[in-house]
Amino acid sequence: MEYVYFEGKIVPEDEAKISIKTNSLHYGTAIFEGIRAYYDKDTDKMWGLFFKEHYQRLFQNMKVLNMEIEESIDDLVEITKELILINKIKSDIYIRPLVYFADLKISPKLIGYTAKIAIYTYPLGDYIDINEGIKAIVSSWTRLNDNMIPPRLKVAGAYVNSAFSKTEAILAGADEAIVLNKNGYVSEGSAENIFIVRNGKLITPPVSDDILEGITRNAIITIAKDLGYEVEERHIARTELYVADEVFFCGTGAQVSPVVEIDNRKIGDGKPGKITKEIQNVYFDAVRGKIEKYRDWVIPIE
């Protein structure tokens, strides 16, 4: 994937360079997004998933960090489509926009600096296992809260918290971590929202439990309700994970990923659950433009 968008221009990737003095590199004050585009073999088309919604969230996040860039949301949607076309991509990909303070200055502040944006793409299949299911542990690391580094922001520095929990999980022989907030309630995975299923009802933590305001999370809620399932947003206690009938992660990277074991305890029968698989099947058709009801989630890349 040879071309990227860098500080106002589409350029070959090897021309997109920043200095080691770049301010955001030192202080983690970069805002990023994770976006997907999917290739549908049946129609030979690329479909961009929630492009506008991701850039709207990017701009909301930038506002909190006092960042402004020259490009508009609509500009970035078109630039992203152009990148896919110029790179002649026909596969599932991940798209990473990154807004950072480009100034070559030393001082951890959010004023008096100039923000720039870069966007690049790379091939990405399944970030975590979406078929057989994964093993998770409840991390010993506590989720950040809104008065520390707001979890609703995809700010680079906050992901040290995620890296601690994910690394702990891997070293413990698991695939992923589940983090609790300062009140001891389930928040999310290291980089995914979480749902549990109990007695046919989907339950997910509310935004006030220090979660990312997930775009995929919103899509899953919509799909579940359209399938006739009740969805409840409320606190989830740690032990409720163990007695859940099903558990799954969701996110742009994670997509819909069943969790079959938590803290060495089987979830349900230890296999991906019926409701999880049903939602998963609808989701993967929707992101490739196959379901008319959800066609406004995607845009054709052409």
Side-chain angles (χ1 to χ4, degrees):
M1 303 204 177
E2 300 172 359
Y3 292 93
V4 302
Y5 184 75
F6 180 69
E7 299 187 355
K9 299 183 293 187
I10 291 179
V11 299
E13 184 180 345
D14 60 6
E15 292 182 15
K17 308 290 185 186
I18 63 168
S19 168
I20 61 169
K21 296 180 181 179
T22 302
N23 183 268
S24 284
L25 176 64
H26 293 261
Y27 302 111
T29 52
I31 291 289
F32 68 92
E33 271 297 328
I35 309 174
R36 277 203 188 244
Y38 289 88
Y39 177 61
D40 179 41
K41 289 183 286 189
D42 295 338
T43 58
D44 192 32
K45 268 189 180 179
M46 290 291 297
W47 295 91
L49 178 64
F50 293 126
F51 276 17
K52 190 160 191 175
E53 291 82 354
H54 279 285
Y55 284 122
Q56 287 170 336
R57 186 171 68 182
L58 183 78
F59 271 65
Q60 290 171 1
N61 286 190
M62 285 162 47
K63 183 177 182 181
V64 180
L65 263 65
N66 291 319
M67 289 175 150
E68 291 184 1
I69 57 175
E70 295 177 357
E71 297 85 351
S72 69
I73 290 171
D74 288 341
D75 289 339
L76 295 176
V77 169
E78 292 305 312
I79 288 164
T80 305
K81 289 167 63 177
E82 188 176 352
L83 273 181
I84 293 171
L85 291 171
I86 199 172
N87 283 310
K88 300 178 181 177
I89 299 168
K90 287 193 174 183
S91 64
D92 294 352
I93 60 165
Y94 192 76
I95 302 153
R96 172 54 52 85
L98 179 73
V99 180
Y100 55 94
F101 290 124
D103 307 75
L104 309 184
K105 296 180 180 178
I106 301 292
S107 183
K109 61 178 184 175
L110 303 173
I111 54 174
Y113 291 151
T114 301
K116 297 289 185 180
I117 186 167
I119 307 171
Y120 65 93
T121 64
Y122 60 89
L124 183 67
D126 299 333
Y127 175 71
I128 52 180
D129 186 4
I130 62 170
N131 296 313
E132 299 303 316
I134 64 170
K135 298 179 181 180
I137 64 164
V138 175
S139 177
S140 65
W141 294 93
T142 302
R143 182 68 167 143
L144 295 164
N145 70 60
D146 200 61
N147 283 324
M148 294 178 180
I149 300 176
R152 67 164 36 87
L153 305 186
K154 289 185 75 69
V155 58
Y159 280 75
V160 173
N161 186 240
S162 297
F164 278 139
S165 60
K166 177 83 169 185
T167 303
E168 179 183 35
I170 293 169
L171 291 175
D175 305 294
E176 189 52 85
I178 297 169
V179 288
L180 309 181
N181 65 18
K182 61 184 175 60
N183 297 316
Y185 292 117
V186 172
S187 182
E188 55 186 15
S190 69
E192 310 90 10
N193 291 122
I194 191 169
F195 285 79
I196 69 172
V197 178
R198 296 197 69 187
N199 301 316
K201 179 195 294 185
L202 279 77
I203 305 164
T204 192
V207 171
S208 56
D209 272 351
D210 299 317
I211 68 169
L212 177 72
E213 295 179 331
I215 293 168
T216 307
R217 173 181 178 271
N218 292 341
I220 297 307
I221 290 172
T222 298
I223 289 171
K225 288 180 177 179
D226 286 348
L227 289 171
Y229 296 110
E230 183 181 351
V231 181
E232 184 177 3
E233 297 181 55
R234 65 160 171 82
H235 299 317
I236 298 174
R238 176 177 181 164
T239 54
E240 196 170 8
L241 295 169
Y242 306 150
V243 299
D245 302 316
E246 303 178 31
V247 177
F248 64 88
F249 288 125
C250 72
T252 302
Q255 303 171 114
V256 181
S257 299
V259 180
V260 297
E261 182 181 299
I262 301 174
D263 290 343
N264 298 306
R265 295 164 174 85
K266 282 185 180 180
I267 304 304
D269 62 2
K271 298 177 181 177
K274 171 182 171 291
I275 293 173
T276 301
K277 289 192 288 187
E278 187 178 4
I279 290 171
Q280 193 181 63
N281 289 337
V282 174
Y283 179 79
F284 282 115
D285 280 343
V287 301
R288 289 183 168 84
K290 294 178 181 291
I291 302 179
E292 190 62 37
K293 184 191 300 186
Y294 306 125
R295 187 60 67 80
D296 61 337
W297 293 359
V298 294
I299 55 172
I301 309 300
E302 53 192 16

